[in-house]
Amino acid sequence: MHMVRQVNVIAREDLGFRSALTNTHTHSLHPYPAKFIPQIATELVTKYSQPGEIVADIFAGSGTTNLEAMLSGRHSYALDVNPLATLLTQAKTAVIQPDVLSKEIERVIASVIKTAPDLVLQSDVVQAALIGKNQERLTYWFPENNVVELALLLLEIESIASSDLRALLLLIFSSSLKPSSYWLDWSVKPQHDRRPIRPSNPADVNPAVKYKRVVPPAIDVFTKRAKEVQKRYTAAAPLLHKQAAYRPEIVCADLTNHELGTNLFDTIITSPPYLTSYEYADLHQLSVFWLFNAQTVESFKRSGFIGTKMQPATPLPEALIASLALSNLREVMLPVPLRHVDQYFTSMHNCLSRAYTALRPNGQLCIVIGDSRYKGHDIPNHLIFLDMLSAMGCTIQDVWERPIPNKRLTSLRDATTGRILPNTQKGSKTAMEIYPTEHILILKK
């Protein structure tokens, strides 16, 4: 028997925060796709938890919820399968002295500036720094001189004893990779810049031609990013030090295979990945190659990213079979995309079941989720999630709908596949604007 659920959706224009600054404190020190803005995290943390309670984000991403929980005097727990996400969460909530950060940045930069000019890719010290890394992919994405400079930077950073200090410099390193590479500068997707090289003779320059971007030295990019991060962290440091007792517990794990425990959290506030979450692996591949020694993007995807087609097929849970919203979708989909949809929602059911068990009685569960589109079909994520959670025993309290202004990474997609498209394809027949709004589901155990 299918669930038939009447949902009263409350429009919350006030949660659009159209003119709000989203880069306060240590937010936005590093790009991360599809993260929700700190104002949403603050609204949910302060409304649905009390000071001193434990707030969990089981799909923590770059740690927005955890930083806001820390600043609001709540303990928190951050879990994510992406090691870059957990690194960023540690860096953004790090508690160190700004002068120590400044001195360490100066030391690292000075060492590389002194050493790099005398070295080439095959130098022993460079090769030692590249052990375990896929050099073919690195030289595909980076000029050889930048591979040398980045290898030396990483060697210096990894020698830092303080894990917080090391995390902050790794954040700077990671955010320096894309502008130090051949990545096509305006493209969201990983595209190698194959535009023609600008002629050295000004008379030969064609004003109608878009020429290849000149890739700057990696040490210059790192130095610029370091100054920006140092300035931002220095401004945030007094509050971070004041709230140091509320630093989050951070775990890097695949929730589909990780037991959270029982009755641990007072509130769970999270934004789950969508069907196309494999894009995280694509978009972060430069950091993945450098920091986590992945040999291919595909091998990184296999680490447990929900939404990848590499997830194993498992039987559909009863709660999903009973969901009218999913049943209607399943009736019109072809077998291959349907298998992917079933895998996604089965994985999400597994994760949310573990989250439900970890939530204390009468605990609050807040889920930020937008509807989406896949293979030409609208996916009513919020209705399917409500069916799943109600079947587990959650009581629906509110369903809010908020506008999403200027959501760059998820605003333009292929009408058939749902894949991200660059903004340059806006207006084409295959491009469509999606996710103009998203839902915030408020439930109680």
Side-chain angles (χ1 to χ4, degrees):
M1 183 176 180
H2 290 133
M3 302 176 189
V4 179
R5 188 171 310 290
Q6 297 295 322
V7 179
N8 181 29
V9 178
I10 303 170
R12 292 289 305 270
E13 290 291 326
D14 60 308
L15 296 183
F17 298 107
R18 296 184 183 277
S19 59
L21 293 175
T22 59
N23 63 347
T24 54
H25 308 302
T26 53
H27 291 297
S28 301
L29 290 184
H30 189 290
Y32 202 89
K35 60 187 177 183
F36 56 31
I37 59 176
Q39 285 80 4
I40 295 297
T42 303
E43 174 82 11
L44 297 174
V45 165
T46 55
K47 186 176 179 67
Y48 294 107
S49 71
Q50 297 299 317
E53 290 187 340
I54 301 176
V55 176
D57 190 341
I58 56 172
F59 302 106
S62 63
T64 301
T65 296
N66 301 96
L67 177 57
E68 287 304 309
M70 177 181 175
L71 299 180
S72 301
R74 276 78 166 167
H75 301 287
S76 72
Y77 176 92
L79 183 141
D80 203 285
V81 68
N82 188 350
L84 180 62
T86 53
L87 170 68
L88 301 185
T89 301
Q90 179 184 359
K92 287 166 59 173
T93 58
V95 178
I96 58 177
Q97 294 297 333
D99 62 326
V100 173
L101 174 62
S102 176
K103 290 176 181 177
E104 199 61 23
I105 288 172
E106 290 177 5
R107 182 194 68 79
V108 168
I109 292 173
S111 175
V112 175
I113 288 176
K114 179 181 178 181
T115 309
D118 298 326
L119 299 175
V120 295
L121 184 60
Q122 297 306 319
S123 299
D124 290 345
V125 65
V126 176
Q127 285 298 306
L130 296 176
I131 290 175
K133 306 187 191 306
N134 187 332
Q135 291 192 39
E136 182 180 349
R137 299 310 298 164
L138 297 183
T139 53
Y140 170 81
W141 279 114
F142 298 90
E144 186 169 311
N145 64 301
N146 277 359
V147 175
V148 171
E149 292 181 356
L150 289 167
L152 296 175
L153 281 167
L154 192 56
L155 198 62
E156 291 293 336
I157 294 170
E158 289 180 336
S159 70
I160 297 172
S162 164
S163 62
D164 278 354
L165 189 55
R166 186 169 63 251
L168 261 172
L169 268 81
L170 287 174
L171 177 151
I172 297 168
F173 178 91
S174 178
S175 66
S176 302
L177 293 174
K178 188 173 177 181
S180 301
S181 74
Y182 293 123
W183 192 297
L184 191 59
D185 49 355
W186 50 260
S187 176
V188 173
K189 297 192 298 182
Q191 295 187 62
H192 201 282
D193 191 348
R194 301 192 183 282
R195 294 174 294 183
I197 298 174
R198 177 180 290 273
S200 56
N201 185 353
D204 296 331
V205 174
N206 184 344
V209 174
K210 290 186 176 180
Y211 293 105
K212 185 190 294 286
R213 176 177 64 95
V214 177
V215 180
I219 190 62
D220 292 349
V221 176
F222 181 88
T223 300
K224 180 180 178 181
R225 284 293 298 128
K227 289 179 180 178
E228 295 168 355
V229 171
Q230 180 184 334
K231 181 179 179 180
R232 293 273 309 281
Y233 183 85
T234 298
L239 186 53
L240 292 171
H241 279 263
K242 180 181 177 182
Q243 301 297 104
Y246 299 100
R247 290 198 65 191
E249 178 184 351
I250 304 170
V251 176
C252 184
D254 171 13
L255 184 52
T256 60
N257 295 305
H258 181 77
E259 293 294 341
L260 291 171
T262 304
N263 298 338
L264 298 176
F265 310 130
D266 299 286
T267 307
I268 295 175
I269 299 171
T270 197
S271 182
Y274 289 19
L275 272 168
T276 49
S277 66
Y278 57 87
E279 290 158 356
Y280 284 81
D282 289 329
L283 295 173
H284 291 156
Q285 64 181 268
L286 302 184
S287 299
V288 165
F289 289 137
W290 275 104
L291 299 181
F292 309 115
N293 290 6
Q295 298 303 298
T296 64
V297 175
E298 287 70 26
S299 65
F300 187 61
K301 291 177 185 177
R302 292 190 186 96
S303 62
F305 282 80
I306 293 175
T308 71
K309 296 176 182 178
M310 299 173 187
Q311 289 287 320
T314 52
L316 208 62
E318 185 63 35
L320 291 173
I321 295 174
S323 168
L324 179 62
L326 183 57
S327 177
N328 290 340
L329 182 63
R330 298 181 82 246
E331 288 178 2
V332 297
M333 293 197 79
L334 295 172
V336 173
L338 175 59
R339 191 178 308 121
H340 187 199
V341 169
D342 284 353
Q343 287 172 349
Y344 167 76
F345 283 110
T346 299
S347 294
M348 287 308 312
H349 182 272
N350 184 3
C351 292
L352 292 173
S353 297
R354 293 167 190 261
Y356 179 84
T357 300
L359 196 61
R360 289 174 179 159
N362 296 313
Q364 296 284 163
L365 177 59
C366 306
I367 295 184
V368 182
I369 184 75
D371 291 341
S372 57
R373 189 172 178 84
Y374 180 65
K375 299 295 184 182
H377 296 279
D378 293 321
I379 313 294
N381 290 314
H382 79 286
L383 294 176
I384 300 171
F385 271 65
L386 288 173
D387 285 344
M388 278 196 289
L389 292 164
S390 296
M392 290 176 197
C394 287
T395 301
I396 301 172
Q397 293 184 292
D398 283 307
V399 178
W400 299 337
E401 185 179 74
R402 65 173 290 268
I404 309 175
N406 303 321
K407 197 166 183 182
R408 174 176 173 264
L409 283 180
T410 56
S411 62
L412 200 64
R413 300 232 170 184
D414 185 282
T416 301
T417 66
R419 295 292 299 273
I420 287 176
L421 294 176
N423 288 333
T424 52
Q425 293 194 32
K426 190 170 185 177
S428 68
K429 291 183 179 179
T430 59
M432 61 176 289
E433 293 278 353
I434 60 170
Y435 308 153
T437 63
E438 66 185 358
H439 293 89
I440 302 177
L441 316 179
I442 311 296
L443 306 103
K444 178 177 283 190
K445 181 174 180 178

